[in-house]
Amino acid sequence: MDFLNRHVWLKRALMLLAILVATPFAGYLLLFVEVAGLEMAFSCLLLALKPFFTWVRYQWEIITSTFQAIANNFHKHLASRPTVYFSHAAGSAAFFAITGVMFLSIAVWLPLFMVAAQYV
């Protein structure tokens, strides 16, 4: 902040840039610049943006609390425990291996092809 206090022209240029960016949404700021000055228009811009910043902070708190609840529920879930996860993964892999296409083709079609190859 000390840098901006030493370079007043830069501070005023940044305030003017912020006002020019906000002018399409709040045209009254140009009237404030004309009548009361740049600093007054910039303070009115900040006052006008306060409800938006409050809304953004509220939405951010909702998002962080949602992710915190998801993380807490995941840590409490059985899938986060290694023994349960390993047994579930092993059972799923065995079920997939037994009912999968490769097992059925090896168990059913390969013997038929081998028998048929002897007679051809």
Side-chain angles (χ1 to χ4, degrees), residues 16-41:
L16 183 63
L17 181 67
I19 289 173
L20 289 176
V21 167
T23 299
F25 308 107
Y28 59 87
L29 292 173
L30 292 179
L31 180 65
F32 283 147
V33 169
E34 193 68 34
V35 174
L38 184 64
E39 290 83 5
M40 183 65 175

PDB file of all heavy atoms in Angstrom, residues 16-41:
ATOM      1  N   LEU A  16      -9.536   5.196 -11.971  1.00  0.00           N
ATOM      2  CA  LEU A  16     -10.230   5.579 -13.194  1.00  0.00           C
ATOM      3  C   LEU A  16     -10.496   4.370 -14.075  1.00  0.00           C
ATOM      4  O   LEU A  16     -11.577   4.237 -14.664  1.00  0.00           O
ATOM      5  CB  LEU A  16      -9.417   6.625 -13.960  1.00  0.00           C
ATOM      6  CG  LEU A  16     -10.052   7.166 -15.229  1.00  0.00           C
ATOM      7  CD1 LEU A  16     -11.336   7.896 -14.890  1.00  0.00           C
ATOM      8  CD2 LEU A  16      -9.094   8.059 -15.967  1.00  0.00           C
ATOM      9  N   LEU A  17      -9.551   3.446 -14.146  1.00  0.00           N
ATOM     10  CA  LEU A  17      -9.741   2.225 -14.923  1.00  0.00           C
ATOM     11  C   LEU A  17     -10.889   1.388 -14.347  1.00  0.00           C
ATOM     12  O   LEU A  17     -11.719   0.868 -15.092  1.00  0.00           O
ATOM     13  CB  LEU A  17      -8.444   1.410 -14.954  1.00  0.00           C
ATOM     14  CG  LEU A  17      -8.485   0.114 -15.754  1.00  0.00           C
ATOM     15  CD1 LEU A  17      -8.662   0.430 -17.235  1.00  0.00           C
ATOM     16  CD2 LEU A  17      -7.238  -0.682 -15.527  1.00  0.00           C
ATOM     17  N   ALA A  18     -10.958   1.283 -13.022  1.00  0.00           N
ATOM     18  CA  ALA A  18     -12.049   0.534 -12.396  1.00  0.00           C
ATOM     19  C   ALA A  18     -13.392   1.200 -12.675  1.00  0.00           C
ATOM     20  O   ALA A  18     -14.390   0.518 -12.946  1.00  0.00           O
ATOM     21  CB  ALA A  18     -11.815   0.429 -10.890  1.00  0.00           C
ATOM     22  N   ILE A  19     -13.429   2.512 -12.651  1.00  0.00           N
ATOM     23  CA  ILE A  19     -14.681   3.218 -12.933  1.00  0.00           C
ATOM     24  C   ILE A  19     -15.075   3.044 -14.391  1.00  0.00           C
ATOM     25  O   ILE A  19     -16.246   2.847 -14.718  1.00  0.00           O
ATOM     26  CB  ILE A  19     -14.551   4.699 -12.539  1.00  0.00           C
ATOM     27  CG1 ILE A  19     -14.528   4.809 -11.018  1.00  0.00           C
ATOM     28  CG2 ILE A  19     -15.696   5.530 -13.114  1.00  0.00           C
ATOM     29  CD1 ILE A  19     -14.242   6.181 -10.497  1.00  0.00           C
ATOM     30  N   LEU A  20     -14.107   3.105 -15.295  1.00  0.00           N
ATOM     31  CA  LEU A  20     -14.419   2.922 -16.713  1.00  0.00           C
ATOM     32  C   LEU A  20     -14.910   1.510 -17.011  1.00  0.00           C
ATOM     33  O   LEU A  20     -15.762   1.317 -17.872  1.00  0.00           O
ATOM     34  CB  LEU A  20     -13.201   3.259 -17.574  1.00  0.00           C
ATOM     35  CG  LEU A  20     -12.851   4.747 -17.648  1.00  0.00           C
ATOM     36  CD1 LEU A  20     -11.572   4.946 -18.448  1.00  0.00           C
ATOM     37  CD2 LEU A  20     -13.989   5.537 -18.233  1.00  0.00           C
ATOM     38  N   VAL A  21     -14.398   0.532 -16.294  1.00  0.00           N
ATOM     39  CA  VAL A  21     -14.870  -0.845 -16.478  1.00  0.00           C
ATOM     40  C   VAL A  21     -16.293  -0.982 -15.959  1.00  0.00           C
ATOM     41  O   VAL A  21     -17.125  -1.680 -16.559  1.00  0.00           O
ATOM     42  CB  VAL A  21     -13.915  -1.844 -15.775  1.00  0.00           C
ATOM     43  CG1 VAL A  21     -14.520  -3.213 -15.681  1.00  0.00           C
ATOM     44  CG2 VAL A  21     -12.592  -1.906 -16.519  1.00  0.00           C
ATOM     45  N   ALA A  22     -16.615  -0.292 -14.867  1.00  0.00           N
ATOM     46  CA  ALA A  22     -17.941  -0.406 -14.268  1.00  0.00           C
ATOM     47  C   ALA A  22     -18.968   0.526 -14.899  1.00  0.00           C
ATOM     48  O   ALA A  22     -20.161   0.405 -14.621  1.00  0.00           O
ATOM     49  CB  ALA A  22     -17.854  -0.124 -12.775  1.00  0.00           C
ATOM     50  N   THR A  23     -18.549   1.456 -15.749  1.00  0.00           N
ATOM     51  CA  THR A  23     -19.466   2.443 -16.321  1.00  0.00           C
ATOM     52  C   THR A  23     -20.624   1.835 -17.113  1.00  0.00           C
ATOM     53  O   THR A  23     -21.753   2.316 -16.986  1.00  0.00           O
ATOM     54  CB  THR A  23     -18.686   3.443 -17.194  1.00  0.00           C
ATOM     55  OG1 THR A  23     -17.745   4.115 -16.362  1.00  0.00           O
ATOM     56  CG2 THR A  23     -19.603   4.460 -17.822  1.00  0.00           C
ATOM     57  N   PRO A  24     -20.434   0.783 -17.914  1.00  0.00           N
ATOM     58  CA  PRO A  24     -21.603   0.227 -18.615  1.00  0.00           C
ATOM     59  C   PRO A  24     -22.681  -0.296 -17.675  1.00  0.00           C
ATOM     60  O   PRO A  24     -23.853  -0.364 -18.043  1.00  0.00           O
ATOM     61  CB  PRO A  24     -21.015  -0.912 -19.444  1.00  0.00           C
ATOM     62  CG  PRO A  24     -19.591  -0.578 -19.607  1.00  0.00           C
ATOM     63  CD  PRO A  24     -19.201   0.158 -18.379  1.00  0.00           C
ATOM     64  N   PHE A  25     -22.323  -0.662 -16.463  1.00  0.00           N
ATOM     65  CA  PHE A  25     -23.286  -1.198 -15.510  1.00  0.00           C
ATOM     66  C   PHE A  25     -23.807  -0.136 -14.546  1.00  0.00           C
ATOM     67  O   PHE A  25     -24.885  -0.287 -13.991  1.00  0.00           O
ATOM     68  CB  PHE A  25     -22.659  -2.343 -14.713  1.00  0.00           C
ATOM     69  CG  PHE A  25     -22.042  -3.383 -15.591  1.00  0.00           C
ATOM     70  CD1 PHE A  25     -20.664  -3.496 -15.702  1.00  0.00           C
ATOM     71  CD2 PHE A  25     -22.839  -4.232 -16.328  1.00  0.00           C
ATOM     72  CE1 PHE A  25     -20.105  -4.448 -16.524  1.00  0.00           C
ATOM     73  CE2 PHE A  25     -22.280  -5.187 -17.151  1.00  0.00           C
ATOM     74  CZ  PHE A  25     -20.903  -5.294 -17.253  1.00  0.00           C
ATOM     75  N   ALA A  26     -23.026   0.914 -14.320  1.00  0.00           N
ATOM     76  CA  ALA A  26     -23.421   1.989 -13.404  1.00  0.00           C
ATOM     77  C   ALA A  26     -22.983   3.315 -14.006  1.00  0.00           C
ATOM     78  O   ALA A  26     -21.910   3.847 -13.702  1.00  0.00           O
ATOM     79  CB  ALA A  26     -22.791   1.777 -12.035  1.00  0.00           C
ATOM     80  N   GLY A  27     -23.813   3.870 -14.863  1.00  0.00           N
ATOM     81  CA  GLY A  27     -23.459   5.098 -15.573  1.00  0.00           C
ATOM     82  C   GLY A  27     -23.408   6.325 -14.685  1.00  0.00           C
ATOM     83  O   GLY A  27     -22.786   7.321 -15.042  1.00  0.00           O
ATOM     84  N   TYR A  28     -24.039   6.272 -13.516  1.00  0.00           N
ATOM     85  CA  TYR A  28     -24.040   7.419 -12.612  1.00  0.00           C
ATOM     86  C   TYR A  28     -22.651   7.724 -12.071  1.00  0.00           C
ATOM     87  O   TYR A  28     -22.422   8.812 -11.534  1.00  0.00           O
ATOM     88  CB  TYR A  28     -25.020   7.203 -11.465  1.00  0.00           C
ATOM     89  CG  TYR A  28     -24.736   5.978 -10.640  1.00  0.00           C
ATOM     90  CD1 TYR A  28     -23.853   6.025  -9.577  1.00  0.00           C
ATOM     91  CD2 TYR A  28     -25.356   4.763 -10.921  1.00  0.00           C
ATOM     92  CE1 TYR A  28     -23.591   4.907  -8.819  1.00  0.00           C
ATOM     93  CE2 TYR A  28     -25.110   3.643 -10.165  1.00  0.00           C
ATOM     94  CZ  TYR A  28     -24.219   3.717  -9.117  1.00  0.00           C
ATOM     95  OH  TYR A  28     -23.960   2.617  -8.367  1.00  0.00           O
ATOM     96  N   LEU A  29     -21.712   6.781 -12.200  1.00  0.00           N
ATOM     97  CA  LEU A  29     -20.359   7.028 -11.701  1.00  0.00           C
ATOM     98  C   LEU A  29     -19.685   8.163 -12.463  1.00  0.00           C
ATOM     99  O   LEU A  29     -18.893   8.908 -11.889  1.00  0.00           O
ATOM    100  CB  LEU A  29     -19.530   5.749 -11.791  1.00  0.00           C
ATOM    101  CG  LEU A  29     -19.948   4.629 -10.847  1.00  0.00           C
ATOM    102  CD1 LEU A  29     -19.166   3.368 -11.139  1.00  0.00           C
ATOM    103  CD2 LEU A  29     -19.756   5.047  -9.421  1.00  0.00           C
ATOM    104  N   LEU A  30     -19.994   8.311 -13.751  1.00  0.00           N
ATOM    105  CA  LEU A  30     -19.406   9.410 -14.518  1.00  0.00           C
ATOM    106  C   LEU A  30     -19.897  10.756 -14.003  1.00  0.00           C
ATOM    107  O   LEU A  30     -19.146  11.737 -13.990  1.00  0.00           O
ATOM    108  CB  LEU A  30     -19.720   9.246 -16.000  1.00  0.00           C
ATOM    109  CG  LEU A  30     -19.032   8.060 -16.683  1.00  0.00           C
ATOM    110  CD1 LEU A  30     -19.438   7.989 -18.141  1.00  0.00           C
ATOM    111  CD2 LEU A  30     -17.537   8.161 -16.547  1.00  0.00           C
ATOM    112  N   LEU A  31     -21.136  10.810 -13.565  1.00  0.00           N
ATOM    113  CA  LEU A  31     -21.653  12.037 -12.973  1.00  0.00           C
ATOM    114  C   LEU A  31     -20.937  12.337 -11.662  1.00  0.00           C
ATOM    115  O   LEU A  31     -20.589  13.492 -11.390  1.00  0.00           O
ATOM    116  CB  LEU A  31     -23.159  11.911 -12.738  1.00  0.00           C
ATOM    117  CG  LEU A  31     -23.845  13.119 -12.119  1.00  0.00           C
ATOM    118  CD1 LEU A  31     -23.771  14.310 -13.072  1.00  0.00           C
ATOM    119  CD2 LEU A  31     -25.280  12.790 -11.784  1.00  0.00           C
ATOM    120  N   PHE A  32     -20.682  11.304 -10.863  1.00  0.00           N
ATOM    121  CA  PHE A  32     -19.932  11.507  -9.631  1.00  0.00           C
ATOM    122  C   PHE A  32     -18.515  11.982  -9.918  1.00  0.00           C
ATOM    123  O   PHE A  32     -17.979  12.814  -9.188  1.00  0.00           O
ATOM    124  CB  PHE A  32     -19.885  10.224  -8.795  1.00  0.00           C
ATOM    125  CG  PHE A  32     -21.147   9.923  -8.060  1.00  0.00           C
ATOM    126  CD1 PHE A  32     -21.540   8.621  -7.849  1.00  0.00           C
ATOM    127  CD2 PHE A  32     -21.937  10.929  -7.558  1.00  0.00           C
ATOM    128  CE1 PHE A  32     -22.706   8.337  -7.157  1.00  0.00           C
ATOM    129  CE2 PHE A  32     -23.105  10.653  -6.865  1.00  0.00           C
ATOM    130  CZ  PHE A  32     -23.484   9.349  -6.662  1.00  0.00           C
ATOM    131  N   VAL A  33     -17.885  11.461 -10.959  1.00  0.00           N
ATOM    132  CA  VAL A  33     -16.540  11.908 -11.325  1.00  0.00           C
ATOM    133  C   VAL A  33     -16.574  13.381 -11.698  1.00  0.00           C
ATOM    134  O   VAL A  33     -15.694  14.163 -11.313  1.00  0.00           O
ATOM    135  CB  VAL A  33     -15.967  11.056 -12.482  1.00  0.00           C
ATOM    136  CG1 VAL A  33     -14.698  11.675 -13.031  1.00  0.00           C
ATOM    137  CG2 VAL A  33     -15.696   9.647 -12.016  1.00  0.00           C
ATOM    138  N   GLU A  34     -17.599  13.789 -12.438  1.00  0.00           N
ATOM    139  CA  GLU A  34     -17.707  15.165 -12.904  1.00  0.00           C
ATOM    140  C   GLU A  34     -17.987  16.124 -11.747  1.00  0.00           C
ATOM    141  O   GLU A  34     -17.407  17.203 -11.675  1.00  0.00           O
ATOM    142  CB  GLU A  34     -18.820  15.262 -13.947  1.00  0.00           C
ATOM    143  CG  GLU A  34     -18.844  16.526 -14.732  1.00  0.00           C
ATOM    144  CD  GLU A  34     -17.654  16.665 -15.678  1.00  0.00           C
ATOM    145  OE1 GLU A  34     -17.185  15.649 -16.220  1.00  0.00           O
ATOM    146  OE2 GLU A  34     -17.210  17.804 -15.849  1.00  0.00           O
ATOM    147  N   VAL A  35     -18.871  15.733 -10.823  1.00  0.00           N
ATOM    148  CA  VAL A  35     -19.304  16.643  -9.768  1.00  0.00           C
ATOM    149  C   VAL A  35     -18.421  16.552  -8.528  1.00  0.00           C
ATOM    150  O   VAL A  35     -17.937  17.566  -8.016  1.00  0.00           O
ATOM    151  CB  VAL A  35     -20.786  16.353  -9.390  1.00  0.00           C
ATOM    152  CG1 VAL A  35     -21.232  17.184  -8.200  1.00  0.00           C
ATOM    153  CG2 VAL A  35     -21.675  16.602 -10.583  1.00  0.00           C
ATOM    154  N   ALA A  36     -18.205  15.345  -8.027  1.00  0.00           N
ATOM    155  CA  ALA A  36     -17.550  15.193  -6.725  1.00  0.00           C
ATOM    156  C   ALA A  36     -16.081  14.796  -6.824  1.00  0.00           C
ATOM    157  O   ALA A  36     -15.344  14.929  -5.858  1.00  0.00           O
ATOM    158  CB  ALA A  36     -18.297  14.169  -5.897  1.00  0.00           C
ATOM    159  N   GLY A  37     -15.674  14.251  -7.916  1.00  0.00           N
ATOM    160  CA  GLY A  37     -14.272  13.863  -8.050  1.00  0.00           C
ATOM    161  C   GLY A  37     -14.109  12.362  -8.184  1.00  0.00           C
ATOM    162  O   GLY A  37     -15.035  11.570  -7.982  1.00  0.00           O
ATOM    163  N   LEU A  38     -12.891  11.990  -8.538  1.00  0.00           N
ATOM    164  CA  LEU A  38     -12.586  10.586  -8.818  1.00  0.00           C
ATOM    165  C   LEU A  38     -12.679   9.725  -7.555  1.00  0.00           C
ATOM    166  O   LEU A  38     -13.211   8.610  -7.590  1.00  0.00           O
ATOM    167  CB  LEU A  38     -11.187  10.486  -9.430  1.00  0.00           C
ATOM    168  CG  LEU A  38     -10.717   9.124  -9.875  1.00  0.00           C
ATOM    169  CD1 LEU A  38     -11.603   8.612 -11.005  1.00  0.00           C
ATOM    170  CD2 LEU A  38      -9.283   9.169 -10.321  1.00  0.00           C
ATOM    171  N   GLU A  39     -12.165  10.258  -6.442  1.00  0.00           N
ATOM    172  CA  GLU A  39     -12.163   9.475  -5.211  1.00  0.00           C
ATOM    173  C   GLU A  39     -13.588   9.203  -4.722  1.00  0.00           C
ATOM    174  O   GLU A  39     -13.892   8.111  -4.240  1.00  0.00           O
ATOM    175  CB  GLU A  39     -11.358  10.188  -4.122  1.00  0.00           C
ATOM    176  CG  GLU A  39      -9.863  10.208  -4.381  1.00  0.00           C
ATOM    177  CD  GLU A  39      -9.435  11.331  -5.329  1.00  0.00           C
ATOM    178  OE1 GLU A  39     -10.300  12.157  -5.702  1.00  0.00           O
ATOM    179  OE2 GLU A  39      -8.270  11.363  -5.706  1.00  0.00           O
ATOM    180  N   MET A  40     -14.463  10.193  -4.854  1.00  0.00           N
ATOM    181  CA  MET A  40     -15.854  10.000  -4.441  1.00  0.00           C
ATOM    182  C   MET A  40     -16.547   8.969  -5.330  1.00  0.00           C
ATOM    183  O   MET A  40     -17.303   8.124  -4.836  1.00  0.00           O
ATOM    184  CB  MET A  40     -16.589  11.334  -4.517  1.00  0.00           C
ATOM    185  CG  MET A  40     -18.009  11.256  -4.054  1.00  0.00           C
ATOM    186  SD  MET A  40     -18.059  10.863  -2.325  1.00  0.00           S
ATOM    187  CE  MET A  40     -19.788  10.987  -2.025  1.00  0.00           C
ATOM    188  N   ALA A  41     -16.293   9.017  -6.629  1.00  0.00           N
ATOM    189  CA  ALA A  41     -16.892   8.040  -7.535  1.00  0.00           C
ATOM    190  C   ALA A  41     -16.380   6.635  -7.234  1.00  0.00           C
ATOM    191  O   ALA A  41     -17.139   5.662  -7.275  1.00  0.00           O
ATOM    192  CB  ALA A  41     -16.587   8.419  -8.984  1.00  0.00           C
TER     193      ALA A  41
END
